[in-house]
Amino acid sequence: EKEKEREKEGGGKGGNGRNDNSHVGTGVGQKTPMQRKNQSTPKYEKTPWAFVAASVGDCKMFHYSAKRKKISDATYGNRMNVTNASDCGGRLGPYVEETLPDLRNLITFYVPCEEGDLMLGMSDGVHDNLDPESLGKLPFHLDDGIEESVGWNDLSYDRVEFLKSSFQCQWLENCIQTAEAEWEAAEAERGGGER
């Protein structure tokens, strides 16, 4: 029952150290294609900048907060209505009845930003290669609260999305932190100053 409760919340103990939803959609008023009813609208401090966008396909946007040193998935849930990897979930050109655009996956999002933040946009050709399932990982690799016998198809779609997004955010955070450390080490070697 505890596992079912965690699945409802989209959280879990998380072997990757993420038991909060800090990586999940940062968009104020954001609605996924399924119009998620359990997702509350996040509250934010006022910031001088914001990133506002709309997406109709399956590209992903990740926000790196320089202040928190964390990545969040700004487009969390934008592929929840897609079960086939070859289906991008939406198109602007004529598609439906050969005259209308396919807007199944239309999503808008707003991400408050601060100085030094990064927005990472990537096509499915990039983010699909960060998919833990494609990389041979099983759910128990990402959450030690999941038994080894449980496969991806045994979990709810919400739970799969949560685990995969958590993995992608953690992987991207590690890349950025490694690059920053290498840059700072190189600068120290050269006797350079601050960025």
Side-chain angles (χ1 to χ4, degrees):
E1 282 196 297
K2 287 182 182 178
E3 179 65 27
K4 287 181 184 176
E5 197 61 36
R6 282 196 309 249
E7 282 184 20
K8 280 185 197 173
E9 295 170 7
K13 183 174 161 188
N16 61 7
R18 285 185 179 265
N19 58 3
D20 62 5
N21 285 336
S22 63
H23 74 284
V24 174
T26 57
V28 173
Q30 171 185 6
K31 296 289 185 190
T32 65
M34 295 175 62
Q35 301 293 303
R36 299 165 58 97
K37 294 178 185 175
N38 294 334
Q39 187 175 338
S40 62
T41 301
K43 305 232 183 295
Y44 297 100
E45 298 175 28
K46 289 186 177 182
T47 60
W49 300 284
F51 181 83
V52 181
S55 175
V56 74
D58 57 359
C59 291
K60 299 290 284 175
M61 289 297 302
F62 293 92
H63 171 236
Y64 177 71
S65 168
K67 183 178 178 180
R68 292 183 8 249
K69 304 281 188 214
K70 293 284 181 193
I71 290 268
S72 59
D73 182 349
T75 51
Y76 181 81
N78 75 324
R79 292 187 72 170
M80 292 187 83
N81 68 333
V82 177
T83 56
N84 179 344
S86 65
D87 179 3
C88 65
R91 298 155 185 83
L92 288 178
Y95 183 74
V96 178
E97 299 174 9
E98 297 182 17
T99 59
L100 302 172
D102 177 3
L103 302 178
R104 291 174 292 148
N105 221 19
L106 178 62
I107 185 172
T108 60
F109 49 97
Y110 165 87
V111 180
C113 297
E114 297 181 14
E115 187 171 341
D117 287 5
L118 299 172
M119 293 302 299
L120 308 170
M122 52 191 76
S123 70
D124 60 335
V126 176
H127 72 77
D128 280 353
N129 286 292
L130 303 179
D131 184 305
E133 186 176 7
S134 297
L135 296 172
K137 303 221 179 269
L138 295 170
F140 79 91
H141 292 127
L142 308 180
D143 185 337
D144 23 345
I146 297 176
E147 295 179 19
E148 287 187 34
S149 61
V150 175
W152 291 106
N153 292 332
D154 299 325
L155 299 173
S156 71
Y157 204 84
D158 283 346
R159 184 74 171 139
V160 168
E161 180 72 9
F162 177 82
L163 289 170
K164 289 183 175 190
S165 182
S166 295
F167 177 86
Q168 291 174 331
C169 288
Q170 186 65 51
W171 191 91
L172 290 168
E173 279 174 22
N174 291 342
C175 285
I176 290 172
Q177 290 165 1
T178 298
E180 283 181 337
E182 289 173 357
W183 188 87
E184 288 168 6
E187 280 297 298
E189 254 182 53
R190 285 193 294 267
E194 294 181 21
R195 287 194 260 183

